[in-house]
Amino acid sequence: MLKRIQNIKGIGKRVRDINKALNQEGFYLPWNDSQIELYFRSLKQEMTTVDWNDEEGNKIRLIFTPQIIKEDGYNTTINVIEVEYYTILQIVEQIRKQLHAQKQS
């Protein structure tokens, strides 16, 4: 699975294709279709992230810049700089550390 996910990294990747590949692996964006389209057609020309989650709470985060923004957000092409995979245990530990740091302040 992780090898296939790493294949998402690269220049000129279409949102529709990325979404389909991640859906096949059990990861979904937390939005409905119209929200997804709005998000990807409203991008600014800057580096940003977006997260796909699975039912267990694991997360795939894409760090990307938009390449060609289309009115149909699914047809927007992006340059995927990095693909990060986080397990639910890593996420919980990160939250725990942040809460501990806040208590120390």
Side-chain angles (χ1 to χ4, degrees):
M1 174 191 71
L2 291 178
K3 188 171 187 172
R4 287 189 300 257
I5 290 169
Q6 284 299 322
N7 289 336
I8 293 170
K9 192 172 169 180
I11 295 172
K13 303 290 184 160
R14 196 168 64 135
V15 171
R16 183 179 312 282
D17 298 334
I18 292 170
N19 193 54
K20 182 179 178 184
L22 291 175
N23 289 175
Q24 289 174 341
E25 297 296 332
F27 289 87
Y28 300 90
L29 286 166
W31 310 313
N32 64 36
D33 283 346
S34 61
Q35 291 169 317
I36 292 169
E37 286 190 26
L38 178 62
Y39 178 82
F40 285 103
R41 76 169 173 250
S42 302
L43 293 170
K44 305 278 188 254
Q45 290 295 332
E46 58 191 30
M47 191 176 347
T48 191
T49 64
V50 67
D51 297 338
W52 275 260
N53 305 300
D54 70 6
E55 291 179 352
E56 297 170 0
N58 302 311
K59 176 182 300 208
I60 292 177
R61 173 171 287 160
L62 299 187
I63 302 169
F64 67 94
T65 57
Q67 184 184 48
I68 301 170
I69 299 171
K70 301 279 186 156
E71 185 62 28
D72 172 359
Y74 276 112
N75 288 322
T76 291
T77 55
I78 60 177
N79 300 321
V80 181
I81 299 162
E82 193 61 57
V83 179
E84 299 173 342
Y85 175 75
Y86 299 99
T87 66
I88 186 63
L89 295 175
Q90 290 171 313
I91 296 166
V92 168
E93 184 59 28
Q94 184 179 20
I95 293 169
R96 197 174 292 149
K97 286 179 182 178
Q98 289 173 347
L99 291 173
H100 182 71
Q102 287 176 354
K103 285 182 182 180
Q104 297 295 331
S105 299

